[in-house]
């Protein structure tokens, strides 16, 4: 196939004009994306494209600009072919890729979730969000001051490491649950996250909602606590309770005031149906901003889960098409409004809140996954028997490098799917190759690709992936034991290493990077955040 190209200058003009829909899609691995990309570029790695495209790009006729490393566009062309096979018909390759963008004199941003992180810094600078340092917080608590620490991250992050005594109350849940957790108006509330963004947004959410308690963000979050030489807690499970009737009524009153201040538009069922009828002309994302547990228990059939705090923190992980329509779904009239208020300030043009009734939340379980062709499989027990037999076999794990490092089938090689054409040569000559990934989906996608590369080799997929192997209580191996590809598939957090000196250095570098985003977005000129 041949695809149209578009120059960086033309893409930049479209982004500056900001009048219509477009998606600037970076098809490199996330770790490579984090090394430098345009401000609104959304990561959609070629390795996982078929699994993520429908959620990130819901309208097949939306203009898509594909970005790879450049100057050769081989990765982009491969991604364009896959998108075309999936039915997308407005595809352009950005000439020169990221190299061409840089050569044209345009800004490149390192890191991930850059628009959201930059927005957090904008909020602190614009509204003067109060903050407290880790040392000051520890001293005040030691002095007996009445303080509650609310952790604004999802539970897995909180559970991994937290401020001692902190209570997990993620993002959009803060205004929803605060009155049930903090019953008086004198207790100092401190909101923390791992770094800065969710601390700032969380604290300012409570302030915007009119919470009368003194509220502050913990400066630099758990990283700041660690860098101050203070001990972090691990594996805590103190989760804030859902609000009772009285607390919920207070939260709903606060949300009504926020809706008025920030111009949040609520819609009813008929208006939602009207938006659904226009999906051929406008991209529509229906995002359930409640907790994952609530979503799994019951949601709108066409809604995807995007917890409100995470949607603000990492918008590019849920929405790829700029200037699309966003419908935020809740069942209480609080979490949708609080999330919408921030997206409006991020200058998203069409954001709506739909508060669903119980009888409308008819779908259960996770959102449907894309249909993919299934390769022949081996069960976990069958694979275990094959490995024990001494047969010449190679297991290739296509999970993320972090997942592989955490645990994999003993002896398995690790590779990036998009690089199999180059890296398969390092696989020993064997008669049988078994592919696996976390749940097996990625392995099924890769099976026909390996068959073309190794036509004389039998290829099978581990049924249910490495999750099934672990569920069968079979032995697991950890560490970077057999690496075929470079480990630049994901962005490694500062604490994703056991080298404590490196952890401290990378934490400080990360915090400095976040603060520096304010100056960089001013140079770039694409961000148009709004102040109310």
């Amino acid at each position: 196939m041949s695809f149209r190209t578009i120059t960086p200058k033309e893409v930049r003009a479209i982004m500056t004009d900001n009048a219509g829909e477009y998606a600037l899609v970076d098809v490199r691995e996330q770790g490579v994306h984090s090394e430098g990309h345009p401000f609104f570029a959304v990561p959609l790695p070629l390795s996982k494209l078929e699994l993520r495209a429908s959620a990130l790009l819901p309208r097949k006729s939306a203009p898509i600009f594909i970005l790879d490393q450049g100057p050769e566009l081989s990765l982009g062309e491969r991604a364009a072919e896959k998108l075309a096979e999936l039915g997308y018909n407005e595809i352009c390759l950005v000439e020169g890729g990221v190299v061409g963008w840089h050569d044209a004199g345009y800004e490149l941003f390192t890191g991930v979730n850059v628009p959201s992180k930059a927005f957090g810094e904008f909020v602190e600078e614009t509204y003067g969000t109060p903050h407290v340092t880790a040392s000051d917080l520890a001293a005040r608590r030691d002095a007996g001051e009445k303080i509650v620490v609310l952790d604004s991250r999802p539970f897995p992050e909180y559970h991994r490491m937290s401020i001692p005594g902190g209570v997990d109350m993620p993002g959009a849940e803060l205004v929803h649950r605060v009155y049930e957790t903090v019953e008086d108006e004198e207790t100092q509330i401190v909101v923390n996250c791992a770094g800065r963004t969710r601390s700032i947004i969380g604290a300012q959410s409570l302030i915007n909602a009119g919470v009368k308690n003194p509220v502050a963000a913990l400066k630099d979050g758990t990283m700041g606590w660690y860098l101050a030489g203070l001990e972090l807690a691990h594996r805590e499970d103190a989760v804030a309770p859902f609000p009772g009737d009285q607390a919920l009524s207070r939260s709903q009153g606060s949300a009504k005031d926020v809706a008025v201040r920030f111009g949040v538009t609520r819609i009813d069922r008929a208006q939602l149906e009207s938006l659904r009828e226009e999906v051929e002309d406008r991209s529509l994302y229906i995002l359930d901003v409640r907790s994952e547990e609530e979503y799994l228990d019951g949601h709108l059939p066409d809604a995807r889960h995007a917890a409100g705090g995470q949607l603000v923190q990492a918008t590019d992980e849920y929405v790829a098409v700029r200037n699309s329509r966003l419908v935020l779904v809740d069942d209480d009239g609080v979490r949708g409004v609080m999330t919408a208020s921030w997206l409006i300030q991020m200058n998203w043009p069409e954001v709506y809140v739909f508060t669903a009734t119980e009888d409308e939340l008819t779908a259960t379980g996770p959102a449907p996954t894309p249909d993919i062709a299934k390769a022949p499989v081996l069960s976990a027990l069958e694979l275990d028997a094959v490995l024990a037999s001494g047969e010449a076999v190679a297991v290739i794990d296509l999970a993320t490098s972090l997942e592989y490092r955490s645990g994999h089938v003993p002896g398995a090689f690790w590779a990036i799917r998009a690089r199999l054409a180059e890296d398969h040569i390092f696989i020993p000559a064997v008669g049988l190759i078994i592919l696996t990934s976390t749940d097996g989906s990625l392995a099924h996608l890769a099976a026909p690709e390996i068959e073309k590369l190794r036509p004389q080799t039998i290829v099978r997929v581990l049924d249910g992936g490495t999750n099934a192997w672990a569920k069968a209580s079979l032995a697991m191996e950890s560490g970077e034991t057999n690496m075929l590809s470079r480990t630049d598939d994901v962005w490694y957090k500062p604490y994703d290493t056991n080298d404590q000196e490196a952890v401290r250095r990378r934490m400080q570098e990360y915090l400095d990077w976040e603060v520096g985003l304010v100056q960089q977005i001013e140079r770039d000129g694409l961000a148009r955040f709004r102040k109310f």
Side-chain angles (χ1 to χ4, degrees):
M1 297 182 186
S2 60
F3 296 92
R4 290 179 295 148
T5 61
I6 186 169
T7 66
K9 182 177 181 180
E10 290 169 325
V11 175
R12 174 79 186 191
I14 291 169
M15 297 169 77
T16 302
D17 186 50
N18 201 40
E21 292 188 6
Y22 69 89
L24 178 57
V25 173
D26 187 345
V27 297
R28 302 172 299 163
E29 299 298 314
Q30 187 201 42
V32 185
H33 168 85
S34 72
E35 294 171 359
H37 57 270
F39 187 69
F40 284 126
V42 172
L44 179 57
L46 174 62
S47 294
K48 301 175 177 64
L49 187 145
E50 298 96 327
L51 300 177
R52 298 182 180 177
S54 60
L56 279 173
L57 303 163
R59 183 166 71 93
K60 297 294 178 66
S61 56
I64 300 171
F65 308 135
I66 294 180
L67 189 75
D68 67 5
Q69 186 67 22
E72 299 295 330
L73 298 175
S74 58
L75 194 71
E77 289 170 348
R78 290 165 61 193
E81 289 174 1
K82 289 187 182 296
L83 286 172
E85 290 170 3
L86 292 172
Y88 294 92
N89 53 41
E90 289 292 331
I91 302 169
C92 286
L93 301 173
V94 179
E95 290 182 9
V98 168
V99 171
W101 189 270
H102 177 266
D103 289 346
Y106 303 134
E107 200 82 17
L108 290 176
F109 290 79
T110 59
V112 295
N113 309 134
V114 168
S116 296
K117 301 293 179 66
F119 176 67
E121 298 304 318
F122 164 84
V123 168
E124 183 183 56
E125 185 176 270
T126 300
Y127 296 108
T129 308
H131 67 261
V132 59
T133 66
S135 298
D136 286 346
L137 173 59
R140 290 168 62 180
R141 295 209 312 189
D142 289 345
E145 187 173 338
K146 197 173 181 181
I147 299 173
V148 62
V149 176
L150 304 180
D151 195 313
S152 62
R153 299 171 297 164
F155 180 77
E157 290 187 62
Y158 162 81
H159 188 63
R160 179 175 182 174
M161 63 176 186
S162 61
I163 306 302
V167 177
D168 191 40
M169 193 181 291
E173 302 296 328
L174 284 161
V175 175
H176 183 230
R177 305 192 192 195
V178 66
Y179 294 120
E180 189 68 34
T181 302
V182 186
E183 297 180 357
D184 65 71
E185 296 179 351
E186 290 75 41
T187 297
Q188 169 75 57
I189 296 175
V190 176
V191 180
N192 81 276
C193 64
R196 296 178 52 82
T197 307
R198 288 170 291 185
S199 302
I200 296 165
I201 297 297
Q204 195 63 45
S205 291
L206 295 173
I207 294 168
N208 290 351
V211 172
K212 292 184 171 56
N213 301 67
V215 177
L218 176 60
K219 185 177 183 295
D220 301 336
T222 56
M223 293 189 203
W225 188 270
Y226 179 83
L227 290 172
L230 299 166
E231 289 291 326
L232 287 163
H234 300 277
R235 302 191 180 282
E236 296 296 313
D237 58 3
V239 178
F242 282 94
D245 292 342
Q246 185 176 357
L248 178 59
S249 179
R250 293 180 68 188
S251 296
Q252 290 171 331
S254 296
K256 286 180 181 177
D257 293 339
V258 169
V260 171
R261 176 181 174 185
F262 295 101
V264 176
T265 302
R266 299 176 187 263
I267 58 173
D268 57 25
R269 186 184 303 190
Q271 290 168 309
L272 176 57
E273 288 301 325
S274 179
L275 294 176
R276 285 173 170 149
E277 290 170 1
E278 298 175 359
V279 294
E280 297 299 321
D281 301 311
R282 292 293 309 280
S283 298
L284 175 66
Y285 297 81
I286 301 178
L287 303 171
D288 192 317
V289 299
R290 302 172 300 154
S291 70
E292 184 177 16
E293 293 77 13
E294 291 170 283
Y295 175 85
L296 294 174
D297 284 344
H299 56 266
L300 298 183
D302 54 352
R304 293 186 176 272
H305 181 244
Q310 290 305 105
L311 180 56
V312 176
Q313 152 81 3
T315 310
D316 58 346
E317 294 183 13
Y318 301 95
V319 179
V321 182
R322 299 292 305 170
N323 300 316
S324 52
R325 290 170 166 171
L326 310 183
V327 174
L328 311 183
V329 181
D330 66 15
D331 62 358
D332 50 63
V334 178
R335 290 170 284 187
V337 167
M338 296 308 303
T339 306
S341 72
W342 290 118
L343 293 171
I344 289 167
Q345 291 174 81
M346 292 175 76
N347 203 29
W348 211 271
E350 288 193 58
V351 184
Y352 307 99
V353 173
F354 178 73
T355 300
T357 59
E358 186 175 351
D359 64 335
E360 292 172 314
L361 304 175
T362 57
T364 58
T369 56
D371 291 328
I372 57 176
K374 297 297 176 66
V377 299
L378 266 71
S379 71
L381 293 178
E382 288 171 331
L383 174 57
D384 187 46
V386 169
L387 294 175
S389 72
E391 182 180 342
V393 57
V395 179
I396 304 174
D397 193 330
L398 301 171
T400 70
S401 54
L402 277 172
E403 291 168 328
Y404 173 86
R405 189 177 76 179
S406 177
H408 54 265
V409 176
F413 295 91
W414 177 79
I416 293 174
R417 178 196 170 200
R419 298 178 188 161
L420 284 172
E422 305 95 74
D423 295 340
H424 82 96
I425 61 172
F426 301 111
I427 303 169
V430 294
L432 175 64
I433 289 178
I434 295 96
L435 298 173
T436 186
S437 57
T438 306
D439 63 2
S441 298
L442 202 57
H444 281 290
L445 287 170
E449 298 164 350
I450 279 287
E451 287 175 339
K452 289 180 181 178
L453 295 169
R454 295 286 188 100
Q456 305 304 316
T457 305
I458 298 171
V459 178
R460 296 290 184 266
V461 168
L462 174 57
D463 195 15
T466 309
N467 286 346
W469 180 272
K471 190 175 181 180
S473 299
L474 295 166
M476 299 280 283
E477 184 177 44
S478 61
E480 297 181 351
T481 53
N482 291 298
M483 315 302 282
L484 300 179
S485 302
R486 297 187 309 277
T487 56
D488 56 4
D489 58 311
V490 293
W491 176 75
Y492 278 66
K493 295 180 175 66
Y495 40 82
D496 283 332
T497 176
N498 293 322
D499 182 340
Q500 296 308 303
E501 183 177 341
V503 167
R504 298 182 68 86
R505 183 182 70 254
R506 292 195 62 215
M507 281 184 174
Q508 191 59 62
E509 290 171 351
Y510 174 80
L511 295 168
D512 293 343
W513 167 79
E514 282 195 302
V515 172
L517 284 172
V518 172
Q519 287 72 38
Q520 193 173 9
I521 63 172
E522 288 177 356
R523 292 198 306 268
D524 182 62
L526 285 175
R528 299 174 184 174
F529 301 140
R530 300 173 65 190
K531 176 183 177 180
F532 282 76

